[in-house]
Amino acid sequence: RYPDIAGGGMVNNSLDKHADLMRKYNEMVEAMSAANAKISETVGLVEQVFGVLSWRDPRVTALIAGSAGIGACLLLVFPLDEGWLEWLISSALMFLLRPPFLRTQSHAPLMVMNLIRRIPTHEERIVSS
Protein backbone atom coordinates (compact mmCIF):
# COMPACT_ATOMS: atom_id res chain seq x y z
CA ARG A 1 0.00 0.00 0.00
CA TYR A 2 1.19 3.46 -0.94
CA PRO A 3 0.03 6.88 0.19
CA ASP A 4 -2.41 8.65 -2.11
CA ILE A 5 -0.82 12.06 -2.63
CA ALA A 6 -3.93 13.76 -4.06
CA GLY A 7 -6.46 12.38 -1.55
CA GLY A 8 -4.24 12.02 1.51
CA GLY A 9 -5.34 8.40 2.16
CA MET A 10 -3.90 4.99 1.40
CA VAL A 11 -4.49 3.37 -2.00
CA ASN A 12 -3.67 -0.09 -3.24
CA ASN A 13 -1.28 0.74 -6.09
CA SER A 14 -1.72 -2.52 -8.00
CA LEU A 15 -5.51 -2.06 -8.32
CA ASP A 16 -5.00 1.55 -9.41
CA LYS A 17 -2.57 0.50 -12.13
CA HIS A 18 -4.95 -2.21 -13.33
CA ALA A 19 -7.93 0.16 -13.49
CA ASP A 20 -5.85 2.79 -15.30
CA LEU A 21 -4.58 0.20 -17.76
CA MET A 22 -8.12 -1.06 -18.44
CA ARG A 23 -9.37 2.52 -18.97
CA LYS A 24 -6.55 3.22 -21.44
CA TYR A 25 -7.22 -0.11 -23.17
CA ASN A 26 -10.93 0.68 -23.57
CA GLU A 27 -10.15 4.16 -24.93
CA MET A 28 -7.71 2.66 -27.42
CA VAL A 29 -10.25 0.03 -28.55
CA GLU A 30 -12.89 2.74 -29.09
CA ALA A 31 -10.46 4.91 -31.08
CA MET A 32 -9.38 1.94 -33.21
CA SER A 33 -13.02 0.97 -33.87
CA ALA A 34 -13.86 4.50 -35.00
CA ALA A 35 -10.78 4.62 -37.23
CA ASN A 36 -11.60 1.20 -38.68
CA ALA A 37 -15.16 2.29 -39.50
CA LYS A 38 -13.91 5.46 -41.24
CA ILE A 39 -11.27 3.53 -43.20
CA SER A 40 -13.87 0.95 -44.23
CA GLU A 41 -16.22 3.69 -45.44
CA THR A 42 -13.40 5.36 -47.40
CA VAL A 43 -12.32 2.07 -48.98
CA GLY A 44 -15.92 1.38 -50.00
CA LEU A 45 -16.17 4.78 -51.68
CA VAL A 46 -12.88 4.24 -53.53
CA GLU A 47 -14.09 0.82 -54.67
CA GLN A 48 -17.29 2.40 -55.95
CA VAL A 49 -15.35 5.04 -57.88
CA PHE A 50 -13.17 2.35 -59.45
CA GLY A 51 -16.35 0.33 -60.09
CA VAL A 52 -17.24 2.87 -62.78
CA LEU A 53 -14.28 1.54 -64.73
CA SER A 54 -15.34 -2.09 -64.29
CA TRP A 55 -18.31 -1.65 -66.66
CA ARG A 56 -20.79 -3.23 -64.22
CA ASP A 57 -23.49 -0.53 -64.27
CA PRO A 58 -24.38 0.26 -67.89
CA ARG A 59 -26.13 3.58 -67.14
CA VAL A 60 -23.24 5.03 -65.17
CA THR A 61 -20.75 3.65 -67.66
CA ALA A 62 -22.65 5.26 -70.54
CA LEU A 63 -22.79 8.55 -68.65
CA ILE A 64 -19.04 8.50 -67.94
CA ALA A 65 -18.11 7.40 -71.46
CA GLY A 66 -20.43 9.99 -73.01
CA SER A 67 -19.06 12.75 -70.79
CA ALA A 68 -15.51 11.76 -71.64
CA GLY A 69 -16.34 11.73 -75.38
CA ILE A 70 -18.04 15.13 -75.23
CA GLY A 71 -15.16 16.49 -73.19
CA ALA A 72 -12.63 15.21 -75.72
CA CYS A 73 -14.59 16.76 -78.60
CA LEU A 74 -14.80 20.08 -76.76
CA LEU A 75 -11.06 20.02 -76.14
CA LEU A 76 -10.46 19.44 -79.85
CA VAL A 77 -12.76 22.27 -80.89
CA PHE A 78 -11.78 24.70 -78.11
CA PRO A 79 -8.14 24.22 -77.10
CA LEU A 80 -7.19 25.08 -73.52
CA ASP A 81 -4.59 27.65 -74.59
CA GLU A 82 -7.37 30.18 -75.22
CA GLY A 83 -8.26 30.53 -71.54
CA TRP A 84 -10.94 27.83 -71.35
CA LEU A 85 -9.39 26.15 -68.32
CA GLU A 86 -9.47 29.43 -66.42
CA TRP A 87 -13.07 29.98 -67.54
CA LEU A 88 -14.04 26.46 -66.43
CA ILE A 89 -12.41 26.84 -63.02
CA SER A 90 -13.95 30.30 -62.55
CA SER A 91 -17.40 29.00 -63.47
CA ALA A 92 -17.07 26.05 -61.10
CA LEU A 93 -15.95 28.32 -58.26
CA MET A 94 -18.78 30.77 -58.93
CA PHE A 95 -21.26 27.88 -58.78
CA LEU A 96 -19.80 26.50 -55.55
CA LEU A 97 -19.62 29.91 -53.87
CA ARG A 98 -23.04 31.17 -54.98
CA PRO A 99 -25.11 33.06 -52.39
CA PRO A 100 -27.51 31.07 -50.19
CA PHE A 101 -30.67 32.46 -51.81
CA LEU A 102 -29.62 30.87 -55.14
CA ARG A 103 -29.07 27.44 -53.61
CA THR A 104 -31.73 24.77 -53.43
CA GLN A 105 -32.96 23.91 -49.96
CA SER A 106 -33.08 20.19 -50.71
CA HIS A 107 -30.90 17.88 -48.66
CA ALA A 108 -30.76 15.35 -51.47
CA PRO A 109 -27.28 14.06 -52.35
CA LEU A 110 -25.51 15.43 -55.38
CA MET A 111 -26.22 13.57 -58.62
CA VAL A 112 -22.60 12.46 -58.93
CA MET A 113 -22.54 11.05 -55.39
CA ASN A 114 -25.88 9.35 -56.02
CA LEU A 115 -24.44 7.63 -59.10
CA ILE A 116 -21.27 6.61 -57.27
CA ARG A 117 -23.21 5.25 -54.27
CA ARG A 118 -25.25 2.98 -56.62
CA ILE A 119 -22.12 1.19 -57.82
CA PRO A 120 -21.50 -1.94 -55.74
CA THR A 121 -18.34 -2.24 -53.65
CA HIS A 122 -15.99 -5.21 -53.95
CA GLU A 123 -17.58 -6.79 -50.87
CA GLU A 124 -21.10 -6.39 -52.28
CA ARG A 125 -20.04 -7.98 -55.56
CA ILE A 126 -18.56 -10.97 -53.70
CA VAL A 127 -21.69 -11.44 -51.58
CA SER A 128 -24.05 -11.18 -54.57
CA SER A 129 -22.18 -13.74 -56.68
Side-chain angles (χ1 to χ4, degrees), residues 55-70:
W55 310 98
R56 298 266 181 194
D57 190 346
R59 289 176 289 190
V60 174
T61 302
L63 180 70
I64 297 297
S67 298
I70 290 171

Side-chain angles (χ1 to χ4, degrees), residues 22-82:
M22 284 303 295
R23 182 184 55 77
K24 288 180 181 179
Y25 172 77
N26 289 335
E27 287 175 2
M28 187 173 59
V29 166
E30 287 177 16
M32 289 186 339
S33 296
N36 189 23
K38 188 66 176 173
I39 289 171
S40 179
E41 179 183 336
T42 304
V43 166
L45 183 62
V46 169
E47 286 176 350
Q48 288 171 329
V49 169
F50 283 123
V52 170
L53 305 175
S54 70
W55 310 98
R56 298 266 181 194
D57 190 346
R59 289 176 289 190
V60 174
T61 302
L63 180 70
I64 297 297
S67 298
I70 290 171
C73 291
L74 287 175
L75 285 175
L76 286 173
V77 174
F78 305 108
L80 290 179
D81 59 349
E82 296 177 13

Side-chain angles (χ1 to χ4, degrees), residues 103-123:
R103 297 178 187 174
T104 60
Q105 299 302 322
S106 170
H107 296 292
L110 295 174
M111 184 173 56
V112 173
M113 287 305 295
N114 188 20
L115 289 172
I116 289 175
R117 292 285 182 200
R118 284 186 25 239
I119 299 171
T121 62
H122 182 67
E123 181 180 344

